[in-house]
PDB file of all heavy atoms in Angstrom:
ATOM      1  N   ALA A   1      21.008  19.842  42.401  1.00 94.00           N
ATOM      2  CA  ALA A   1      21.749  19.621  41.191  1.00 94.00           C
ATOM      3  C   ALA A   1      22.963  18.633  41.380  1.00 94.00           C
ATOM      4  O   ALA A   1      23.398  17.979  40.600  1.00 94.00           O
ATOM      5  CB  ALA A   1      22.211  20.914  40.456  1.00 94.00           C
ATOM      6  N   GLN A   2      23.403  18.629  42.736  1.00 95.00           N
ATOM      7  CA  GLN A   2      24.616  17.798  43.046  1.00 95.00           C
ATOM      8  C   GLN A   2      24.108  16.495  43.449  1.00 95.00           C
ATOM      9  O   GLN A   2      25.108  15.597  43.794  1.00 95.00           O
ATOM     10  CB  GLN A   2      25.450  18.553  44.105  1.00 95.00           C
ATOM     11  CG  GLN A   2      26.195  19.737  43.589  1.00 95.00           C
ATOM     12  CD  GLN A   2      25.368  20.961  43.343  1.00 95.00           C
ATOM     13  OE1 GLN A   2      24.382  21.165  44.086  1.00 95.00           O
ATOM     14  NE2 GLN A   2      25.593  21.647  42.200  1.00 95.00           N
ATOM     15  N   GLY A   3      22.803  16.243  43.598  1.00 94.00           N
ATOM     16  CA  GLY A   3      22.450  14.985  44.024  1.00 94.00           C
ATOM     17  C   GLY A   3      22.114  14.768  45.468  1.00 94.00           C
ATOM     18  O   GLY A   3      21.775  13.739  45.991  1.00 94.00           O
ATOM     19  N   HIS A   4      22.173  15.794  46.326  1.00 93.00           N
ATOM     20  CA  HIS A   4      21.774  15.783  47.634  1.00 93.00           C
ATOM     21  C   HIS A   4      20.354  15.905  47.876  1.00 93.00           C
ATOM     22  O   HIS A   4      19.544  16.600  47.142  1.00 93.00           O
ATOM     23  CB  HIS A   4      22.308  17.037  48.441  1.00 93.00           C
ATOM     24  CG  HIS A   4      23.889  17.172  48.254  1.00 93.00           C
ATOM     25  ND1 HIS A   4      24.589  18.177  47.571  1.00 93.00           N
ATOM     26  CD2 HIS A   4      24.935  16.366  48.827  1.00 93.00           C
ATOM     27  CE1 HIS A   4      25.774  18.018  47.622  1.00 93.00           C
ATOM     28  NE2 HIS A   4      26.143  16.950  48.352  1.00 93.00           N
ATOM     29  N   ARG A   5      19.776  15.083  48.838  1.00 94.00           N
ATOM     30  CA  ARG A   5      18.363  15.034  49.192  1.00 94.00           C
ATOM     31  C   ARG A   5      18.018  16.401  49.867  1.00 94.00           C
ATOM     32  O   ARG A   5      18.628  16.694  50.822  1.00 94.00           O
ATOM     33  CB  ARG A   5      18.136  13.809  50.090  1.00 94.00           C
ATOM     34  CG  ARG A   5      16.562  13.694  50.357  1.00 94.00           C
ATOM     35  CD  ARG A   5      16.038  12.522  49.476  1.00 94.00           C
ATOM     36  NE  ARG A   5      14.608  12.637  49.465  1.00 94.00           N
ATOM     37  CZ  ARG A   5      13.830  11.719  48.865  1.00 94.00           C
ATOM     38  NH1 ARG A   5      14.394  10.739  48.214  1.00 94.00           N
ATOM     39  NH2 ARG A   5      12.553  11.853  48.942  1.00 94.00           N
ATOM     40  N   ILE A   6      17.071  17.019  49.213  1.00 94.00           N
ATOM     41  CA  ILE A   6      16.608  18.312  49.802  1.00 94.00           C
ATOM     42  C   ILE A   6      15.155  18.341  50.096  1.00 94.00           C
ATOM     43  O   ILE A   6      14.674  19.085  51.074  1.00 94.00           O
ATOM     44  CB  ILE A   6      16.939  19.436  48.879  1.00 94.00           C
ATOM     45  CG1 ILE A   6      16.243  19.317  47.502  1.00 94.00           C
ATOM     46  CG2 ILE A   6      18.424  19.673  48.849  1.00 94.00           C
ATOM     47  CD1 ILE A   6      16.507  20.527  46.528  1.00 94.00           C
ATOM     48  N   ASP A   7      14.330  17.492  49.500  1.00 95.00           N
ATOM     49  CA  ASP A   7      12.831  17.604  49.889  1.00 95.00           C
ATOM     50  C   ASP A   7      12.316  19.005  49.808  1.00 95.00           C
ATOM     51  O   ASP A   7      11.697  19.274  50.853  1.00 95.00           O
ATOM     52  CB  ASP A   7      12.620  16.764  50.910  1.00 95.00           C
ATOM     53  CG  ASP A   7      12.813  15.349  50.754  1.00 95.00           C
ATOM     54  OD1 ASP A   7      12.530  14.788  49.659  1.00 95.00           O
ATOM     55  OD2 ASP A   7      13.174  14.575  51.770  1.00 95.00           O
ATOM     56  N   HIS A   8      12.412  19.805  48.832  1.00 96.00           N
ATOM     57  CA  HIS A   8      12.132  21.198  48.832  1.00 96.00           C
ATOM     58  C   HIS A   8      10.903  21.290  47.990  1.00 96.00           C
ATOM     59  O   HIS A   8      10.759  20.884  46.828  1.00 96.00           O
ATOM     60  CB  HIS A   8      13.175  22.100  48.295  1.00 96.00           C
ATOM     61  CG  HIS A   8      12.895  23.450  48.320  1.00 96.00           C
ATOM     62  ND1 HIS A   8      13.006  24.297  49.414  1.00 96.00           N
ATOM     63  CD2 HIS A   8      12.456  24.221  47.364  1.00 96.00           C
ATOM     64  CE1 HIS A   8      12.602  25.509  49.133  1.00 96.00           C
ATOM     65  NE2 HIS A   8      12.323  25.573  47.812  1.00 96.00           N
ATOM     66  N   VAL A   9       9.835  22.081  48.502  1.00 97.00           N
ATOM     67  CA  VAL A   9       8.674  22.342  47.797  1.00 97.00           C
ATOM     68  C   VAL A   9       8.712  23.820  47.203  1.00 97.00           C
ATOM     69  O   VAL A   9       8.828  24.725  48.109  1.00 97.00           O
ATOM     70  CB  VAL A   9       7.354  22.007  48.572  1.00 97.00           C
ATOM     71  CG1 VAL A   9       6.173  22.393  47.640  1.00 97.00           C
ATOM     72  CG2 VAL A   9       7.307  20.638  49.034  1.00 97.00           C
ATOM     73  N   GLU A  10       8.565  24.053  45.969  1.00 97.00           N
ATOM     74  CA  GLU A  10       8.613  25.352  45.231  1.00 97.00           C
ATOM     75  C   GLU A  10       7.204  25.794  45.155  1.00 97.00           C
ATOM     76  O   GLU A  10       6.305  25.154  44.672  1.00 97.00           O
ATOM     77  CB  GLU A  10       9.309  25.280  43.968  1.00 97.00           C
ATOM     78  CG  GLU A  10      10.822  24.932  44.174  1.00 97.00           C
ATOM     79  CD  GLU A  10      11.470  24.949  42.749  1.00 97.00           C
ATOM     80  OE1 GLU A  10      10.765  24.733  41.682  1.00 97.00           O
ATOM     81  OE2 GLU A  10      12.634  24.951  42.865  1.00 97.00           O
ATOM     82  N   PHE A  11       6.926  27.093  45.558  1.00 97.00           N
ATOM     83  CA  PHE A  11       5.616  27.773  45.467  1.00 97.00           C
ATOM     84  C   PHE A  11       5.711  28.998  44.492  1.00 97.00           C
ATOM     85  O   PHE A  11       6.846  29.482  44.366  1.00 97.00           O
ATOM     86  CB  PHE A  11       5.079  28.128  46.834  1.00 97.00           C
ATOM     87  CG  PHE A  11       4.818  27.028  47.697  1.00 97.00           C
ATOM     88  CD1 PHE A  11       5.835  26.507  48.673  1.00 97.00           C
ATOM     89  CD2 PHE A  11       3.615  26.395  47.865  1.00 97.00           C
ATOM     90  CE1 PHE A  11       5.611  25.577  49.518  1.00 97.00           C
ATOM     91  CE2 PHE A  11       3.356  25.407  48.711  1.00 97.00           C
ATOM     92  CZ  PHE A  11       4.315  24.954  49.622  1.00 97.00           C
ATOM     93  N   HIS A  12       4.658  29.334  43.943  1.00 97.00           N
ATOM     94  CA  HIS A  12       4.545  30.549  43.277  1.00 97.00           C
ATOM     95  C   HIS A  12       4.739  31.808  44.234  1.00 97.00           C
ATOM     96  O   HIS A  12       4.382  31.678  45.512  1.00 97.00           O
ATOM     97  CB  HIS A  12       3.199  30.718  42.635  1.00 97.00           C
ATOM     98  CG  HIS A  12       3.107  31.827  41.650  1.00 97.00           C
ATOM     99  ND1 HIS A  12       2.861  33.182  42.103  1.00 97.00           N
ATOM    100  CD2 HIS A  12       3.154  31.901  40.297  1.00 97.00           C
ATOM    101  CE1 HIS A  12       2.812  33.951  41.068  1.00 97.00           C
ATOM    102  NE2 HIS A  12       2.985  33.210  40.005  1.00 97.00           N
ATOM    103  N   PRO A  13       5.541  32.746  43.847  1.00 97.00           N
ATOM    104  CA  PRO A  13       5.700  33.890  44.733  1.00 97.00           C
ATOM    105  C   PRO A  13       4.390  34.402  45.402  1.00 97.00           C
ATOM    106  O   PRO A  13       4.454  34.957  46.529  1.00 97.00           O
ATOM    107  CB  PRO A  13       6.358  34.967  43.962  1.00 97.00           C
ATOM    108  CG  PRO A  13       7.023  34.178  42.823  1.00 97.00           C
ATOM    109  CD  PRO A  13       6.242  33.017  42.530  1.00 97.00           C
ATOM    110  N   ALA A  14       3.356  34.354  44.682  1.00 98.00           N
ATOM    111  CA  ALA A  14       1.981  34.754  45.278  1.00 98.00           C
ATOM    112  C   ALA A  14       1.761  34.046  46.674  1.00 98.00           C
ATOM    113  O   ALA A  14       1.096  34.591  47.558  1.00 98.00           O
ATOM    114  CB  ALA A  14       0.996  34.628  44.301  1.00 98.00           C
ATOM    115  N   TYR A  15       1.996  32.770  46.682  1.00 98.00           N
ATOM    116  CA  TYR A  15       1.806  32.017  47.861  1.00 98.00           C
ATOM    117  C   TYR A  15       2.455  32.534  49.051  1.00 98.00           C
ATOM    118  O   TYR A  15       1.906  32.718  50.107  1.00 98.00           O
ATOM    119  CB  TYR A  15       2.314  30.475  47.602  1.00 98.00           C
ATOM    120  CG  TYR A  15       2.119  29.624  48.868  1.00 98.00           C
ATOM    121  CD1 TYR A  15       0.989  28.935  49.196  1.00 98.00           C
ATOM    122  CD2 TYR A  15       3.348  29.579  49.667  1.00 98.00           C
ATOM    123  CE1 TYR A  15       1.024  28.136  50.272  1.00 98.00           C
ATOM    124  CE2 TYR A  15       3.232  28.715  50.864  1.00 98.00           C
ATOM    125  CZ  TYR A  15       2.092  28.086  51.101  1.00 98.00           C
ATOM    126  OH  TYR A  15       2.103  27.244  52.246  1.00 98.00           O
ATOM    127  N   HIS A  16       3.736  32.934  48.908  1.00 98.00           N
ATOM    128  CA  HIS A  16       4.560  33.495  49.973  1.00 98.00           C
ATOM    129  C   HIS A  16       3.964  34.824  50.380  1.00 98.00           C
ATOM    130  O   HIS A  16       3.970  35.123  51.580  1.00 98.00           O
ATOM    131  CB  HIS A  16       5.986  33.395  49.532  1.00 98.00           C
ATOM    132  CG  HIS A  16       6.562  32.089  49.404  1.00 98.00           C
ATOM    133  ND1 HIS A  16       6.723  31.237  50.485  1.00 98.00           N
ATOM    134  CD2 HIS A  16       7.205  31.488  48.345  1.00 98.00           C
ATOM    135  CE1 HIS A  16       7.372  30.104  50.082  1.00 98.00           C
ATOM    136  NE2 HIS A  16       7.607  30.302  48.784  1.00 98.00           N
ATOM    137  N   ARG A  17       3.555  35.648  49.419  1.00 98.00           N
ATOM    138  CA  ARG A  17       3.050  36.917  49.813  1.00 98.00           C
ATOM    139  C   ARG A  17       1.851  36.758  50.600  1.00 98.00           C
ATOM    140  O   ARG A  17       1.536  37.485  51.617  1.00 98.00           O
ATOM    141  CB  ARG A  17       2.844  37.712  48.537  1.00 98.00           C
ATOM    142  CG  ARG A  17       2.068  39.041  48.776  1.00 98.00           C
ATOM    143  CD  ARG A  17       2.894  39.947  49.702  1.00 98.00           C
ATOM    144  NE  ARG A  17       2.233  41.215  49.871  1.00 98.00           N
ATOM    145  CZ  ARG A  17       2.373  42.134  50.890  1.00 98.00           C
ATOM    146  NH1 ARG A  17       3.448  41.769  51.769  1.00 98.00           N
ATOM    147  NH2 ARG A  17       1.726  43.210  50.914  1.00 98.00           N
ATOM    148  N   LEU A  18       0.905  35.797  50.217  1.00 98.00           N
ATOM    149  CA  LEU A  18      -0.368  35.494  50.944  1.00 98.00           C
ATOM    150  C   LEU A  18      -0.022  35.011  52.303  1.00 98.00           C
ATOM    151  O   LEU A  18      -0.627  35.614  53.248  1.00 98.00           O
ATOM    152  CB  LEU A  18      -1.154  34.435  50.201  1.00 98.00           C
ATOM    153  CG  LEU A  18      -1.936  34.868  48.931  1.00 98.00           C
ATOM    154  CD1 LEU A  18      -2.241  33.707  48.064  1.00 98.00           C
ATOM    155  CD2 LEU A  18      -3.197  35.558  49.261  1.00 98.00           C
ATOM    156  N   MET A  19       0.950  34.123  52.415  1.00 98.00           N
ATOM    157  CA  MET A  19       1.238  33.643  53.809  1.00 98.00           C
ATOM    158  C   MET A  19       1.875  34.811  54.614  1.00 98.00           C
ATOM    159  O   MET A  19       1.722  34.951  55.740  1.00 98.00           O
ATOM    160  CB  MET A  19       2.339  32.569  53.708  1.00 98.00           C
ATOM    161  CG  MET A  19       1.708  31.289  53.156  1.00 98.00           C
ATOM    162  SD  MET A  19       0.630  30.481  54.350  1.00 98.00           S
ATOM    163  CE  MET A  19       1.770  30.059  55.679  1.00 98.00           C
ATOM    164  N   ASP A  20       2.726  35.686  54.106  1.00 98.00           N
ATOM    165  CA  ASP A  20       3.406  36.700  54.717  1.00 98.00           C
ATOM    166  C   ASP A  20       2.293  37.668  55.263  1.00 98.00           C
ATOM    167  O   ASP A  20       2.341  38.088  56.461  1.00 98.00           O
ATOM    168  CB  ASP A  20       4.367  37.477  53.722  1.00 98.00           C
ATOM    169  CG  ASP A  20       5.218  38.553  54.494  1.00 98.00           C
ATOM    170  OD1 ASP A  20       5.610  38.367  55.648  1.00 98.00           O
ATOM    171  OD2 ASP A  20       5.469  39.606  53.860  1.00 98.00           O
ATOM    172  N   VAL A  21       1.430  38.155  54.474  1.00 98.00           N
ATOM    173  CA  VAL A  21       0.375  39.058  54.851  1.00 98.00           C
ATOM    174  C   VAL A  21      -0.317  38.446  55.992  1.00 98.00           C
ATOM    175  O   VAL A  21      -0.700  39.159  57.071  1.00 98.00           O
ATOM    176  CB  VAL A  21      -0.395  39.494  53.714  1.00 98.00           C
ATOM    177  CG1 VAL A  21      -1.645  40.369  54.152  1.00 98.00           C
ATOM    178  CG2 VAL A  21       0.395  40.321  52.700  1.00 98.00           C
ATOM    179  N   ALA A  22      -0.900  37.287  55.814  1.00 98.00           N
ATOM    180  CA  ALA A  22      -1.662  36.648  56.800  1.00 98.00           C
ATOM    181  C   ALA A  22      -1.082  36.453  58.016  1.00 98.00           C
ATOM    182  O   ALA A  22      -1.508  36.666  59.244  1.00 98.00           O
ATOM    183  CB  ALA A  22      -2.210  35.279  56.238  1.00 98.00           C
ATOM    184  N   LYS A  23       0.205  35.956  58.068  1.00 98.00           N
ATOM    185  CA  LYS A  23       0.975  35.718  59.323  1.00 98.00           C
ATOM    186  C   LYS A  23       1.218  36.982  60.098  1.00 98.00           C
ATOM    187  O   LYS A  23       1.049  37.109  61.355  1.00 98.00           O
ATOM    188  CB  LYS A  23       2.198  35.000  59.039  1.00 98.00           C
ATOM    189  CG  LYS A  23       2.988  34.371  60.230  1.00 98.00           C
ATOM    190  CD  LYS A  23       2.343  33.156  60.715  1.00 98.00           C
ATOM    191  CE  LYS A  23       3.266  32.272  61.540  1.00 98.00           C
ATOM    192  NZ  LYS A  23       3.754  32.850  62.779  1.00 98.00           N
ATOM    193  N   THR A  24       1.644  37.953  59.306  1.00 98.00           N
ATOM    194  CA  THR A  24       2.039  39.240  60.049  1.00 98.00           C
ATOM    195  C   THR A  24       0.741  40.011  60.499  1.00 98.00           C
ATOM    196  O   THR A  24       0.847  40.827  61.493  1.00 98.00           O
ATOM    197  CB  THR A  24       2.748  40.271  59.118  1.00 98.00           C
ATOM    198  OG1 THR A  24       2.024  40.474  57.844  1.00 98.00           O
ATOM    199  CG2 THR A  24       4.109  39.570  58.713  1.00 98.00           C
ATOM    200  N   GLN A  25      -0.468  39.813  59.898  1.00 97.00           N
ATOM    201  CA  GLN A  25      -1.589  40.457  60.356  1.00 97.00           C
ATOM    202  C   GLN A  25      -2.438  39.703  61.347  1.00 97.00           C
ATOM    203  O   GLN A  25      -3.490  40.119  61.813  1.00 97.00           O
ATOM    204  CB  GLN A  25      -2.487  40.671  59.105  1.00 97.00           C
ATOM    205  CG  GLN A  25      -1.978  41.647  58.078  1.00 97.00           C
ATOM    206  CD  GLN A  25      -1.929  43.026  58.621  1.00 97.00           C
ATOM    207  OE1 GLN A  25      -2.772  43.519  59.263  1.00 97.00           O
ATOM    208  NE2 GLN A  25      -0.812  43.691  58.253  1.00 97.00           N
ATOM    209  N   GLY A  26      -1.859  38.481  61.804  1.00 97.00           N
ATOM    210  CA  GLY A  26      -2.536  37.757  62.949  1.00 97.00           C
ATOM    211  C   GLY A  26      -3.477  36.638  62.470  1.00 97.00           C
ATOM    212  O   GLY A  26      -4.088  36.121  63.442  1.00 97.00           O
ATOM    213  N   VAL A  27      -3.565  36.213  61.288  1.00 98.00           N
ATOM    214  CA  VAL A  27      -4.448  35.181  60.964  1.00 98.00           C
ATOM    215  C   VAL A  27      -4.171  33.898  61.644  1.00 98.00           C
ATOM    216  O   VAL A  27      -4.954  33.107  62.002  1.00 98.00           O
ATOM    217  CB  VAL A  27      -4.544  34.982  59.441  1.00 98.00           C
ATOM    218  CG1 VAL A  27      -5.472  33.776  59.008  1.00 98.00           C
ATOM    219  CG2 VAL A  27      -5.062  36.246  58.717  1.00 98.00           C
ATOM    220  N   ALA A  28      -2.822  33.617  61.848  1.00 97.00           N
ATOM    221  CA  ALA A  28      -2.321  32.400  62.482  1.00 97.00           C
ATOM    222  C   ALA A  28      -2.059  32.698  63.997  1.00 97.00           C
ATOM    223  O   ALA A  28      -1.708  31.673  64.659  1.00 97.00           O
ATOM    224  CB  ALA A  28      -1.215  31.910  61.751  1.00 97.00           C
ATOM    225  N   GLY A  29      -2.112  33.812  64.544  1.00 96.00           N
ATOM    226  CA  GLY A  29      -1.610  33.910  65.899  1.00 96.00           C
ATOM    227  C   GLY A  29      -2.202  35.052  66.734  1.00 96.00           C
ATOM    228  O   GLY A  29      -1.901  35.167  67.954  1.00 96.00           O
ATOM    229  N   LEU A  30      -3.154  35.822  66.202  1.00 97.00           N
ATOM    230  CA  LEU A  30      -3.823  36.967  66.973  1.00 97.00           C
ATOM    231  C   LEU A  30      -4.397  36.401  68.423  1.00 97.00           C
ATOM    232  O   LEU A  30      -4.188  37.005  69.359  1.00 97.00           O
ATOM    233  CB  LEU A  30      -4.853  37.531  66.224  1.00 97.00           C
ATOM    234  CG  LEU A  30      -5.543  38.722  66.859  1.00 97.00           C
ATOM    235  CD1 LEU A  30      -4.601  39.988  67.098  1.00 97.00           C
ATOM    236  CD2 LEU A  30      -6.845  39.187  66.218  1.00 97.00           C
ATOM    237  N   SER A  31      -4.886  35.225  68.424  1.00 95.00           N
ATOM    238  CA  SER A  31      -5.516  34.681  69.667  1.00 95.00           C
ATOM    239  C   SER A  31      -4.449  34.569  70.708  1.00 95.00           C
ATOM    240  O   SER A  31      -4.726  34.696  71.840  1.00 95.00           O
ATOM    241  CB  SER A  31      -6.036  33.378  69.278  1.00 95.00           C
ATOM    242  OG  SER A  31      -6.997  33.344  68.243  1.00 95.00           O
ATOM    243  N   TRP A  32      -3.212  34.332  70.247  1.00 96.00           N
ATOM    244  CA  TRP A  32      -2.134  34.015  71.240  1.00 96.00           C
ATOM    245  C   TRP A  32      -1.208  35.257  71.668  1.00 96.00           C
ATOM    246  O   TRP A  32      -0.851  35.384  72.685  1.00 96.00           O
ATOM    247  CB  TRP A  32      -1.215  32.792  70.760  1.00 96.00           C
ATOM    248  CG  TRP A  32      -2.088  31.701  70.199  1.00 96.00           C
ATOM    249  CD1 TRP A  32      -1.992  31.190  68.825  1.00 96.00           C
ATOM    250  CD2 TRP A  32      -3.111  31.006  70.863  1.00 96.00           C
ATOM    251  NE1 TRP A  32      -2.865  30.179  68.863  1.00 96.00           N
ATOM    252  CE2 TRP A  32      -3.531  30.034  69.933  1.00 96.00           C
ATOM    253  CE3 TRP A  32      -3.748  30.996  72.087  1.00 96.00           C
ATOM    254  CZ2 TRP A  32      -4.506  29.081  70.211  1.00 96.00           C
ATOM    255  CZ3 TRP A  32      -4.613  30.124  72.439  1.00 96.00           C
ATOM    256  CH2 TRP A  32      -5.109  29.127  71.459  1.00 96.00           C
ATOM    257  N   HIS A  33      -0.918  35.992  70.578  1.00 91.00           N
ATOM    258  CA  HIS A  33       0.038  37.190  70.910  1.00 91.00           C
ATOM    259  C   HIS A  33      -0.688  38.367  71.237  1.00 91.00           C
ATOM    260  O   HIS A  33      -0.080  39.319  71.708  1.00 91.00           O
ATOM    261  CB  HIS A  33       0.976  37.348  69.664  1.00 91.00           C
ATOM    262  CG  HIS A  33       0.220  37.920  68.385  1.00 91.00           C
ATOM    263  ND1 HIS A  33      -0.342  39.075  68.220  1.00 91.00           N
ATOM    264  CD2 HIS A  33       0.273  37.354  67.113  1.00 91.00           C
ATOM    265  CE1 HIS A  33      -0.729  39.271  66.980  1.00 91.00           C
ATOM    266  NE2 HIS A  33      -0.437  38.153  66.304  1.00 91.00           N
TER     267      HIS A  33
END
């Protein structure tokens, strides 16, 4: 609102919940951790 460049992408809260469940359950990292 103040004119600063932020380049921010807004998602529906469902997107973040999907990402949260997937990341914490190992979809992105089980092979490594």
